[in-house]
């Protein structure tokens, strides 16, 4: 009898994506009420810092000591405990003041695209930014409207008024490459850089399976009906708190009827042309998103 997992690759495709490599041990069972204060007092603690949503870096270094964080005016009252790397706590905190000379403030998109930092730091920064984003957007109780306070090192917000407990949310997004034999369905949103074409995507809705969301979103945006759906990989996407769920989808139709509110173009691209878009050698300058993005790798996995 064949091994149940014989068709499953040892290296998960997710591990090749930006933001996906993250060695921080979350140890949720150790997130006691005192864990954050203990971590802040630990000399081995290291911080990821953010100013106005951009990550602070010094050269190729993204981690700062407590003394450095204080010197940069980090808001340690808003610090969150991400977890540990061995015995050393990893934290994140927002910084109100603009960084001084020698410290850069850069968007995580740019950092992940450029790839100058270690992959583990890019993953840690994504965890940090996703969690800080959630706190920034959930300061009031969604049940009664009272101000909430951070608990469990930042992995919960409690409401002192109605005793509600709120947990960090991750918003699932399906992103799919729909294919018809040797052709792939790609679209362009008006906000994309010039020449960019990507996979169609959209948020899952309550009560929906991943597969049904792939079929619904593809139909809504292109009027292409989808048959079989195969999950391929996932990517943390901290803009602000999403998880991209990448799938390949089997087209049942050929005739596209584009959702003009969502897409300014939507077409079938032959495999040979897609390969030039991946390689950035397309004669008209058409291109897919960068290699760190799940869209690029979903397309590459199909195009071979
Ligand atoms: Zn409440």
């Amino acid at each position: 009898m064949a091994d149940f997992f014989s068709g499953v690759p040892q290296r998960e495709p997710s591990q090749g994506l930006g933001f996906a490599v993250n060695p921080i041990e979350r140890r949720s069972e150790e997130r006691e009420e005192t864990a954050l204060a203990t971590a802040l007092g630990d000399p081995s603690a290291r911080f990821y810092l953010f100013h106005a949503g951009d990550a602070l870096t010094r050269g190729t270094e993204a981690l700062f000591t407590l003394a450095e964080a204080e010197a940069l005016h980090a808001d340690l009252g808003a610090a969150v405990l991400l977890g540990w790397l061995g015995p050393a706590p990893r934290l994140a905190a927002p910084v109100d003041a603009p960084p001084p000379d020698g410290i850069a403030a850069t968007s995580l998109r740019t950092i992940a695209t450029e790839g100058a930092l270690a992959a583990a730091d890019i993953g840690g920064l994504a965890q940090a930014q996703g969690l800080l984003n959630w706190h920034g957007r959930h300061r009031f109780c969604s049940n009664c409207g009272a101000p909430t306070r951070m608990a469990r090192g930042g992995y919960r917000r409690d409401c002192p008024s109605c005793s509600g407990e709120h947990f960090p949310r991750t918003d699932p997004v399906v992103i799919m490459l729909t294919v018809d034999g040797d052709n792939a369905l790609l679209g362009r949103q008006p906000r994309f850089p010039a020449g960019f074409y990507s996979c169609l995507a959209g948020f899952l809705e309550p009560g929906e399976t991943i597969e049904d969301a792939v079929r619904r979103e593809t139909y809504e945006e292109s009027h292409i009906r989808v048959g079989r759906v195969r999950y391929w990989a996932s990517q943390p996407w901290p803009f602000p708190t999403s998880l991209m769920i990448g799938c390949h989808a089997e087209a049942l139709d050929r005739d596209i009827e584009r959702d003009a509110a969502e897409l300014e173009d939507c077409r079938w691209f032959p495999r040979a042309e897609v390969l030039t878009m991946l390689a950035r050698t397309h004669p008209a300058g058409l291109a897919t998103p960068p290699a760190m993005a799940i869209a690029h790798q979903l397309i590459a996995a199909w195009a071979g």
Side-chain angles (χ1 to χ4, degrees):
M1 186 178 143
D3 183 273
F4 185 66
F5 292 100
S6 61
V8 179
Q10 283 288 346
R11 185 173 188 273
E12 296 162 2
S14 302
Q15 291 300 307
L17 304 172
F19 309 123
V21 176
N22 185 356
I24 293 173
E25 299 155 33
R26 295 166 186 258
R27 298 188 207 157
S28 56
E29 73 285 1
E30 293 181 34
R31 286 176 200 146
E32 292 145 13
E33 286 313 320
T34 55
L36 181 59
T38 304
L40 283 166
D42 187 328
S44 69
R46 293 294 179 271
F47 294 76
Y48 291 118
L49 301 176
F50 291 84
H51 170 67
D54 290 335
L56 301 193
T57 55
R58 186 178 37 213
T60 56
E61 182 58 62
L63 288 165
F64 295 86
T65 65
L66 175 64
E68 290 167 337
E70 286 175 328
L72 290 165
H73 307 289
D75 179 2
L76 296 178
V80 295
L81 175 60
L82 303 174
W84 292 262
L85 211 62
R90 284 274 194 278
L91 300 103
V95 175
D96 289 336
D101 286 349
I103 307 281
T106 312
S107 80
L108 275 200
R109 261 178 226 272
T110 301
I111 285 174
T113 302
E114 290 177 348
L117 298 189
D121 278 328
I122 296 174
L125 284 166
Q127 181 186 353
Q129 175 150 302
L131 196 53
L132 291 176
N133 279 341
W134 177 73
H135 284 287
R137 288 159 179 255
H138 293 83
R139 289 177 294 134
F140 297 92
C141 178
S142 55
N143 185 45
C144 76
T148 53
R149 60 167 182 248
M150 189 189 291
R152 293 266 165 194
Y155 280 85
R156 206 176 70 204
R157 292 191 75 88
D158 292 346
C159 176
S161 177
C162 75
S163 303
E165 295 179 345
H166 305 280
F167 295 89
R169 55 180 295 160
T170 294
D171 300 316
V173 174
V174 287
I175 179 164
M176 50 274 168
L177 182 70
T178 299
V179 299
D180 175 38
D182 265 340
N183 294 279
L185 183 70
L186 299 176
R188 77 154 277 105
Q189 295 178 20
R191 64 178 179 83
F192 284 2
F196 261 42
Y197 280 80
S198 189
C199 300
L200 306 186
F203 285 101
L204 261 85
E205 293 190 348
E208 194 171 43
T209 65
I210 290 169
E211 294 87 343
D212 282 344
V214 166
R215 284 186 277 266
R216 175 182 58 77
E217 281 289 342
T218 305
Y219 186 77
E220 285 175 3
E221 294 187 11
S222 67
H223 264 233
I224 298 295
R225 288 176 306 133
V226 160
R228 288 176 292 181
V229 173
R230 187 161 70 180
Y231 167 79
W232 182 71
S234 61
Q235 181 178 34
W237 196 250
F239 310 107
T241 52
S242 290
L243 176 73
M244 309 299 282
I245 302 168
C247 297
H248 292 106
E250 174 190 41
L252 300 179
D253 300 316
R254 281 288 298 173
D255 294 335
I256 296 167
E257 213 178 299
R258 165 176 62 90
D259 173 6
E262 192 90 13
L263 299 173
E264 68 176 29
D265 194 15
C266 183
R267 301 190 229 159
W268 291 107
F269 288 86
R271 188 190 303 265
E273 185 175 8
V274 168
L275 286 168
T276 68
M277 294 162 73
L278 286 164
R280 305 269 167 117
T281 57
H282 190 281
L286 304 188
T288 60
M292 70 85 170
I294 191 169
H296 180 108
Q297 301 299 341
L298 258 179
I299 298 167
W302 165 79

